Amino acid sequence: MKATRYSMQREIVLENVLSRKDHPTAEMIYEDVRETIPNISLGTVYRNLNLLSDEGKILKIDFSGKSIFDSTLKPHAHIKCEKCKNVFDIDVNLDMMNFSEKNGNIILGAEVKFFGICKKCNQKN
C-alpha cells in the first residue's frame, strides 16, 4: 500500500512539472501539488523531484544556489534575468559537443547558463 501511495505522489509531481512552461522550484511545485494532495509534505516533493531527475525524466538545474526543474530534456541553455529573476530556455549552437566527441572525449551532458536581462524586462527600459 505504501509503494502505491508513493507512486501516485511521484506521478502527480511529474505531471505538474511536465505541464509547466516556467522553471519551478520545489516550493512552487509543492504549492500546486497540495491542491491535489493536501497532506503531502515539502520533503516528499523534494524526494520525488530528485528521484525523477535521477531517472532522467526531468532536469534539475542549480541556479545561484537554488534548484529549479525543467521538463525540456533536449539539449538547450538557460538565461536568468537579473531583473525579474525568471529563468528562460534559449536555443544555442551546441556543436562543441560534436567537436569534443570527434577528439575522443565522451560528453555525457552539459549545462549552459547565461545571466542577463530578458526581452520583457529589456523592453520596459
Side-chain angles (χ1 to χ4, degrees):
M1 182 85 165
K2 190 172 184 179
T4 302
R5 175 104 173 125
Y6 176 78
S7 295
M8 182 199 60
Q9 291 172 338
R10 185 172 45 153
E11 188 62 31
I12 290 171
V13 168
L14 177 61
E15 286 173 8
N16 183 273
V17 176
L18 295 178
S19 71
R20 300 178 80 113
K21 299 296 180 205
D22 60 351
H23 294 82
T25 63
E27 291 82 5
M28 293 165 69
I29 296 164
Y30 168 70
E31 289 300 322
D32 284 353
V33 170
R34 280 186 42 193
E35 293 177 15
T36 306
I37 311 171
N39 63 342
I40 195 167
S41 71
L42 181 57
T44 298
V45 172
Y46 269 107
R47 281 189 297 280
N48 282 298
L49 287 168
N50 287 326
L51 180 63
L52 291 165
S53 174
D54 290 345
E55 291 176 348
K57 293 182 179 176
I58 61 173
L59 294 179
K60 178 180 178 181
I61 305 147
D62 292 317
F63 248 109
S64 306
K66 187 96 172 162
S67 294
I68 59 171
F69 298 89
D70 191 351
S71 63
T72 303
L73 300 177
K74 72 176 182 80
H76 66 289
H78 295 94
I79 183 169
K80 181 177 182 182
C81 179
E82 295 298 312
K83 290 196 177 207
C84 67
K85 305 301 181 197
N86 289 320
V87 176
F88 304 92
D89 289 344
I90 56 173
D91 289 324
V92 295
N93 184 341
L94 297 176
D95 285 340
M96 186 62 178
M97 290 179 71
N98 290 331
F99 174 76
S100 296
E101 289 176 352
K102 288 178 184 175
N103 288 322
N105 299 308
I106 299 173
I107 305 298
L108 300 176
E111 279 189 22
V112 179
K113 301 176 194 174
F114 296 95
F115 299 87
I117 308 299
C118 72
K119 183 178 179 178
K120 189 174 180 180
C121 289
N122 189 36
Q123 289 175 344
K124 290 180 184 176
N125 293 334

